[in-house]
């Protein structure tokens, strides 16, 4: 009797375990379907699982009018990914400016190019396990009409990842890019975008450049290459170019690289967002990068220029120099303003040449 009870209970336990296993598989499958449907069906399930693990994922998603966003959180270990896919024709439309892009403004660190066939940036402001990747895609002839009824001109894919692992270890960085590259490939298919995506999988990416990583300006070979020295401007903080859609160069003095001037180059959707911001927020009759090819910004000692870039369609690139030194409210000496213009010309010429653009016009 006792033996029969044990056998019966064991059998019931086996059935319960089987039901639990089957239920778990069903729930897991439902969770995978939710991930696969996120961001208008452009989220790559295999890549998401590879990065965030096989546990249950919390998924939130929103799509419409050429803008798809979704958030995926791993409940077990706290990893997360926030994805944004944008038809670049929406940038600035109806005052919409909030397209997320890695980099695009000066900060404590400089984002580095993704490279390897991609026009993109990899950014991180600290080493807390979080990073942002932006990939930009130019869509050529033969692309299908988008939500506005016109062929899509381009796409941006931005993924903010928090994986809780140090970026100082090169082996940890490619995981931050994997969802972005997988999403970009699915977005190209979903939008009928005629383009050539970069290589996958990406096995390496550089570390964003910290504030302390400066070098003699005379030895610069990246985004600060070719810019002349002057009194009080002898150091540079730069990255490689490698087809990045936004470039930055910081110039400083011998005092531990204290910043004196910063230069940026904006291409494609980065230039679109910059110009749209001036249209939305400019309240004077002074010309801006949105309506003139070159000029002086309202800040004394700050200027912009531009160039035509066939690879970016009709979107002109914008090159900006800003004076970061002391003297707010005081007139900047002519010698410093002349140096700012000279630095802008050198920066714009090298940047435009590296991107395949025409000769830039500068003040």
């Amino acid at each position: 009797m006792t033996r029969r009870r044990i056998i019966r209970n064991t059998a019931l336990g086996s059935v319960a375990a089987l039901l639990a296993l089957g239920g778990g598989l069903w729930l897991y499958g439902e969770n995978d379907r939710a991930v696969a449907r996120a961001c208008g069906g452009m989220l790559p399930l295999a890549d998401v699982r590879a990065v965030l693990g096989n546990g249950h994922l919390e998924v939130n998603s929103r799509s419409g009018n050429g803008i798809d966003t979704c958030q995926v959180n791993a409940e077990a270990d706290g990893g997360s990914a926030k994805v944004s896919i944008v038809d670049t024709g929406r940038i600035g439309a109806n005052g919409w400016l909030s397209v997320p892009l890695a980099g695009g403004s000066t900060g404590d660190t400089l984002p580095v190019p993704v490279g390897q066939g991609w026009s993109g940036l990899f950014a991180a402001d600290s080493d807390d396990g979080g990073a942002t990747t932006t990939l930009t895609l130019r869509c050529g002839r033969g692309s299908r009409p988008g939500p506005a009824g016109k062929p899509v001109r381009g796409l941006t894919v931005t993924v903010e990842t928090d994986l809780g692992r140090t970026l100082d270890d090169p082996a940890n960085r490619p995981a931050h890019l994997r969802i972005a590259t997988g999403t970009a490939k699915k977005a190209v298919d979903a939008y009928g975008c005629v383009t050539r995506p970069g290589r996958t999988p990406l096995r390496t990416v550089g570390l964003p450049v910290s504030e302390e990583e400066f070098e003699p300006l005379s030895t610069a070979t990246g985004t600060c290459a070719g810019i002349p020295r002057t009194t009080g401007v002898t150091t540079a903080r730069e990255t490689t170019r490698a087809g990045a859609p936004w470039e930055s160069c910081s110039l400083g003095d011998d005092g531990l690289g204290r910043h004196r001037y910063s230069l940026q180059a904006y291409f494609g959707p980065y230039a679109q967002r910059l110009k749209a911001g001036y249209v939305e927020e400019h309240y004077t009759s002074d010309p801006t990068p949105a309506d003139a090819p070159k000029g002086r910004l309202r800040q004394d000692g700050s200027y912009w220029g531009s160039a035509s870039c066939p690879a970016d369609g009709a979107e002109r690139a914008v090159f900006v120099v800003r004076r970061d030194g002391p003297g707010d409210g005081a007139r900047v000496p002519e010698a410093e303003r002349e140096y700012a213009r000279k630095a802008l010309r050198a920066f714009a010429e090298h940047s435009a040449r590296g991107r395949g653009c025409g000769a830039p016009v500068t003040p």
Side-chain angles (χ1 to χ4, degrees), residues 103 105-111 122-128 130-132 167 208-210:
S105 61
T106 56
D108 293 339
T109 62
L110 299 182
F122 178 67
D125 288 330
S126 63
D127 191 26
D128 60 0
T132 302
L167 296 176
V209 178
S210 73

Side-chain angles (χ1 to χ4, degrees), residues 55-256:
H56 188 269
L57 300 174
E58 180 185 347
V59 183
N60 293 291
S61 184
R62 184 176 182 181
S63 298
N65 295 320
I67 304 165
D68 298 270
T69 60
C70 54
Q71 173 91 30
V72 182
N73 299 318
E75 296 181 350
D77 59 14
S80 65
K82 183 178 181 181
V83 181
S84 299
I85 306 158
V86 177
D87 174 351
T88 58
R90 301 295 300 161
I91 299 175
N94 300 318
W96 192 75
L97 305 173
S98 59
V99 52
L101 299 171
S105 61
T106 56
D108 293 339
T109 62
L110 299 182
V112 292
V114 172
Q116 302 169 84
W118 294 98
S119 173
L121 289 167
F122 178 67
D125 288 330
S126 63
D127 191 26
D128 60 0
T132 302
T133 303
T134 290
L135 304 175
T136 67
L137 300 138
R138 170 70 184 159
C139 302
R141 290 184 179 180
S143 299
R144 291 202 309 263
K150 299 179 180 179
V152 62
R153 292 171 47 198
L155 299 168
T156 66
V157 174
T158 296
V159 181
E160 301 170 53
T161 40
D162 186 351
L163 305 181
R165 299 191 292 269
T166 178
L167 296 176
D168 282 338
D169 185 346
N172 291 336
R173 293 177 216 148
H176 289 273
L177 282 71
R178 182 163 179 174
I179 294 175
T181 56
T183 300
K185 287 192 168 185
K186 288 181 72 70
V188 164
D189 291 339
Y191 273 90
C193 172
V194 176
T195 190
R196 179 179 293 178
R199 291 190 292 276
T200 55
L202 297 179
R203 304 188 186 282
T204 182
V205 68
L207 186 67
V209 178
S210 73
E211 207 167 16
E212 293 77 25
E213 295 180 69
F214 56 91
E215 61 184 288
L217 176 56
S218 58
T219 64
T221 58
T223 51
C224 295
I227 299 176
R229 295 174 52 174
T230 191
T231 302
V233 180
T234 57
T235 60
R237 190 163 64 106
E238 63 172 8
T239 71
T240 58
R241 288 200 161 95
W246 180 79
E247 300 175 359
S248 184
C249 163
S250 294
L251 304 178
D253 58 20
D254 290 327
L256 298 178

